[in-house]
Amino acid sequence: MCGIIGYVGPEQAQNFILDGLATLEYRGYDSTGLVVINDDGAKLVRSVGRVSSVRDELAGKPLIGKLGIGHTRWATHGAPLERNAHPHTDSDKQFYVVHNGIVENFQDIKTMLEAQSVTFKSDTDTEVIPQLLAYNYKKLGDVKEAFLKTIRSLKGAYSVVMVTPLSPDTMYAARLSSPLVIGIGDKENFIASDPTPIMEHTKKVIFLNDYEAAVITAESCEIIHIKKGKLAKRIPEELEYDPEQALLGDHPNFMIKEVYEAPQTVRSALLGRLRVEQKLIKLGGLELVEEQLRYIDRIIIVSCGTSFYASLVGEYLIEEIAGIPVEVQQASEFKYRVEPLNRSTMVIAVSQSGETADTLAALEKVAGYGVLRLGVVNAVGSSIARLTDAGVYCHAGSEQSVASTKAFIAQVTVLALIALYLSDGNTPLYEEMINELDKLPAKIEAILKLEPAIKKLAKKYSHHRDFLYIGRRYMYPVALEGALKLKELSYIHAEGYAGGEMKHGPLAMIDENFPTMALALDGELFEKTMSNIQEIKARGGPVIAICNDPAKLKDLADDVIKIPKTIEQLQPLLAAIPLQLFAYHCALALGRNVDRPRNLAKSVTVE
Ligand code: M6R
């Protein structure tokens, strides 16, 4: 949530800031702002709405200055209004701050400052930072010391970047539980919430760690440990980057681009790991902890949203293939739950962004228990990737649309590999799964060709206010994920249910206005799903069935989407694709913004 960007160097800061903010807009898009510092002081522009509106406002009258910071907001405290947009400043307009996260003790700080006659202008928690900084500066007379003292007073989660005309060639930054990466250029330096906007300028980066602050000029970058007050020695790392990833190409939006990347996503996740000839799974990231893995007798997977549903598929896979008990917990619940944990428990965090606050907190919770912590993460170098003991990257490339699509595909692929790896070959499914995994990209390509037909179905059904998704066994998590896609993209109310639960309540909702998407693929429980469809039809409910053999649903389903066959364990990787396309086209039919659904942000870095 919230995107932060900053520049110091020989160029005009505004250009990098506006381009960078556009790249970071997936993190929040309620309002936008930037401040640029020059010899005359600070120039601040803030606006409700997207980066493009600020760009339009500045066309022909750019902000001049070679130091500046910007912010794109996802509102937590205070409505999306100009006064709540970042950067925030103090009453004397000396310190300008952008912030991502939540200052939990903001009310205490505010009360203290109000008692000193400080007047606040916004409804945000963030404003206490520049106001406290101004207060500390009056006492200390030194910008850096005042900044560090202010940061030490903050509780909660933050990434903060500050500039001031009092120190017109320096950016000050700090991080606790919210990402910030510094780009080290040639006589210019950059800062951002994620590396994407920086990478076309430099590949040398430093990811700030928790409790680290940075004092950044065009020629230097000093990292200070906030608690110890000492310099921290950090060596920049080189990141790999494919600039094509960030471009739309011929696609109208990122969501459809990313859905169409699914075949390549599976190939990338399997590359070098699935050795079909040798019937071998090689996961270099797990070899480091191979010894510890032998003693694992319980696995807890923590995650949120789509990653949670991918984890549920992982639960079925690991239990069936590796024979290890698994439970999947929503990270937001896990972190507050009291339960026994011991050294033979392994915790796997599944996350596309690697920055989800709840998932990070879940990992932090188990830090003292000696449990092995693995990451199944897409964003390289992200907080979760760095906090875990070992892991397997998803290699899906940058996912920019708020709705997660190819990341789900990559996560399930990686979890299938982990299940096979943990099985040590001791499963009758071993060879068959290896062979089938190899065939999946071509099968997904065949499904993508169904897009025109799915678009027609979406047009037919998108006027409905409610939708039910049902599936059994491996199709149950896919039903949950399909319902999430529909609701977040089209705002149609959708619920996912295990088919077996229908009689226990949901059947009461069914009538001619309440359609069901039934995941009726061939497999052990096909007949049982057919019974569910019969029961829905008997109550007048329209049914769309995702199936392998439409003849089996003749005279029963109102509409069918036929997809290629694979083994049940891998069906989620195929069945998810038509559901993504269906949600996408329903959203378009209803005129929704598919890449930026209302009220959401791509990376949920606050609790
Ligand atoms: O980055 P993460 O995978 O940790 O994010 C988890 C969820 O916030 C995310 O999957 C969310 O549910 C998506 N909007 C779903 O499309």
Side-chain angles (χ1 to χ4, degrees):
M1 333 226 102
C2 301
I4 286 180
I5 193 101
Y7 175 83
V8 56
E11 306 293 336
Q12 292 301 323
Q14 177 191 299
N15 302 332
F16 171 73
I17 292 172
L18 289 179
D19 290 349
L21 285 178
T23 313
L24 292 174
E25 244 186 352
Y26 72 89
R27 301 178 69 89
Y29 32 87
D30 293 340
S31 40
T32 310
L34 73 158
V35 66
V36 166
I37 307 289
N38 62 29
D39 293 342
D40 299 331
K43 293 277 173 290
L44 174 72
V45 173
R46 302 188 301 191
S47 168
V48 174
R50 308 283 298 266
V51 178
S52 53
S53 56
V54 171
R55 205 187 276 280
D56 291 346
E57 200 179 325
L58 292 173
K61 41 172 181 152
L63 302 180
I64 305 298
K66 297 173 178 179
L67 167 70
I69 55 177
H71 188 273
T72 174
R73 179 170 186 250
W74 187 87
T76 56
H77 294 62
L81 300 171
E82 196 268 339
R83 69 164 186 273
N84 293 329
H86 298 217
H88 286 280
T89 186
D90 60 294
S91 305
D92 294 334
K93 298 190 169 44
Q94 282 190 312
F95 299 97
Y96 293 82
V97 168
V98 288
H99 166 227
N100 176 27
I102 291 177
V103 180
E104 283 171 2
N105 59 335
F106 86 99
Q107 196 54 58
D108 295 345
I109 298 174
K110 193 169 176 179
T111 307
M112 183 282 281
L113 290 169
E114 279 172 341
Q116 308 293 322
S117 309
V118 174
T119 310
F120 283 78
K121 294 179 207 70
S122 77
D123 316 312
T124 66
D125 53 336
T126 303
E127 193 187 346
V128 300
I129 305 174
Q131 297 285 17
L132 182 62
L133 189 44
Y135 174 81
N136 286 334
Y137 179 72
K138 275 185 198 139
K139 293 190 163 179
L140 296 167
D142 180 278
V143 174
K144 182 168 129 185
E145 289 311 316
F147 179 72
L148 290 174
K149 185 169 168 53
T150 303
I151 293 298
R152 285 189 194 109
S153 311
L154 305 180
K155 290 195 183 129
Y158 56 76
S159 45
V160 170
V161 185
M162 182 277 286
V163 290
T164 168
L166 296 169
S167 176
D169 55 5
T170 311
M171 283 190 286
Y172 299 82
R175 156 190 171 132
L176 177 62
S177 303
S178 187
L180 268 185
V181 55
I182 300 165
I184 308 292
D186 181 15
K187 299 192 178 60
E188 58 182 351
N189 286 319
F190 312 84
I191 196 159
S193 298
D194 84 37
T196 331
I198 293 175
M199 296 294 276
E200 60 182 281
H201 302 272
T202 176
K203 288 178 183 147
K204 271 166 65 179
V205 296
I206 297 174
F207 289 95
L208 271 192
N209 289 326
D210 281 351
Y211 298 109
E212 279 181 349
V215 178
I216 307 161
T217 67
E219 310 254 357
S220 67
C221 175
E222 184 183 84
I223 311 280
I224 302 153
H225 195 281
I226 295 167
K227 281 183 167 172
K228 297 178 192 156
K230 286 190 180 154
L231 285 184
K233 196 165 164 43
R234 299 290 309 278
I235 296 168
E237 52 191 284
E238 288 270 337
L239 281 188
E240 283 174 25
Y241 177 58
D242 173 7
E244 288 297 308
Q245 283 278 342
L247 302 176
L248 265 180
D250 294 334
H251 297 286
N253 50 61
F254 279 102
M255 175 164 175
I256 198 69
K257 171 180 184 269
E258 288 158 7
V259 171
Y260 271 84
E261 282 170 356
Q264 186 50 38
T265 299
V266 175
R267 284 189 197 104
S268 303
L270 298 179
L271 189 71
R273 296 165 171 170
L274 182 83
R275 312 270 171 102
V276 184
E277 298 301 314
Q278 299 154 273
K279 300 284 173 266
L280 183 77
I281 304 295
K282 183 160 170 56
L283 296 178
L286 300 192
E287 282 167 10
L288 289 170
V289 293
E290 211 173 319
E291 196 51 34
Q292 280 165 280
L293 286 174
R294 286 187 214 288
Y295 299 100
I296 297 305
D297 59 14
R298 177 186 179 212
I299 296 174
I300 300 174
I301 310 184
V302 288
S303 43
C304 305
T306 288
S307 298
F308 175 72
Y309 300 135
S311 305
L312 287 177
V313 179
E315 174 180 18
Y316 284 54
L317 284 168
I318 296 172
E319 291 199 335
E320 183 172 10
I321 291 157
I324 304 171
V326 181
E327 61 193 274
V328 183
Q329 296 198 29
Q330 279 156 345
S332 54
E333 283 299 309
F334 175 77
K335 67 182 185 186
Y336 295 117
R337 192 166 151 174
V338 181
E339 64 186 303
L341 294 167
N342 62 38
R343 282 168 178 273
S344 57
T345 303
M346 170 162 81
V347 173
I348 306 180
V350 177
S351 173
Q352 187 286 127
S353 62
E355 302 294 349
T356 301
D358 287 327
T359 313
L360 261 172
L363 282 175
E364 274 155 9
K365 171 186 160 176
V366 299
Y369 290 85
V371 304
L372 182 63
R373 298 185 293 179
L374 291 193
V376 173
V377 171
N378 190 36
V380 176
S382 56
S383 301
I384 293 175
R386 287 177 300 123
L387 192 68
T388 39
D389 304 303
V392 185
Y393 274 122
C394 292
H395 291 325
S398 118
E399 188 182 65
Q400 304 213 20
S401 184
V402 165
S404 196
T405 53
K406 65 174 177 170
F408 175 85
I409 299 295
Q411 289 164 343
V412 173
T413 308
V414 166
L415 288 163
L417 290 176
I418 292 177
L420 288 167
Y421 182 87
L422 293 176
S423 78
D424 241 344
N426 294 320
T427 163
L429 287 165
Y430 191 76
E431 281 205 31
E432 197 183 4
M433 263 189 83
I434 287 182
N435 293 336
E436 272 302 308
L437 275 167
D438 193 42
K439 291 179 195 153
L440 283 179
K443 293 185 181 179
I444 297 176
E445 268 152 15
I447 297 174
L448 291 169
K449 296 209 171 86
L450 303 175
E451 190 194 349
I454 295 172
K455 183 176 173 180
K456 273 192 197 154
L457 282 184
K459 282 215 167 120
K460 177 174 169 188
Y461 284 92
S462 58
H463 67 281
H464 285 282
R465 294 189 55 174
D466 307 281
F467 238 98
L468 192 69
Y469 283 65
I470 57 164
R472 287 168 178 263
R473 218 160 97 96
Y474 284 95
M475 286 300 104
Y476 167 47
V478 180
L480 297 173
E481 167 59 8
L484 175 63
K485 283 287 93 77
L486 189 67
K487 60 189 142 193
E488 73 177 323
L489 286 163
S490 69
Y491 321 149
I492 296 172
H493 164 238
E495 291 194 49
Y497 263 95
E501 279 288 294
M502 288 298 288
K503 291 191 196 70
H504 302 286
L507 206 47
M509 299 187 291
I510 295 299
D511 63 18
E512 63 281 4
N513 296 316
F514 206 124
T516 297
M517 179 73 79
L519 295 160
L521 297 178
D522 287 357
E524 258 179 62
L525 299 181
F526 175 77
E527 294 303 333
K528 295 203 183 293
T529 304
M530 287 292 282
S531 304
N532 290 134
I533 296 175
Q534 299 273 11
E535 286 153 13
I536 291 164
K537 287 309 300 173
R539 283 147 187 95
V543 171
I544 310 174
I546 310 267
C547 66
N548 295 130
D549 184 356
K552 293 183 189 162
L553 288 124
K554 208 163 163 273
D555 303 329
L556 199 53
D558 298 84
D559 289 286
V560 291
I561 301 171
K562 180 188 173 198
I563 64 170
K565 282 191 183 191
T566 185
I567 55 172
E568 267 192 272
Q569 292 72 14
L570 297 178
Q571 282 171 349
L573 291 163
L574 300 185
I577 307 285
L579 300 188
Q580 293 170 356
L581 288 170
F582 182 75
Y584 171 79
H585 281 293
C586 283
L588 286 188
L590 294 168
R592 311 294 189 224
N593 181 338
V594 286
D595 278 347
R596 306 273 179 266
R598 69 182 180 200
N599 306 338
L600 299 179
K602 180 71 178 160
S603 193
V604 185
T605 55
V606 292
E607 188 178 337

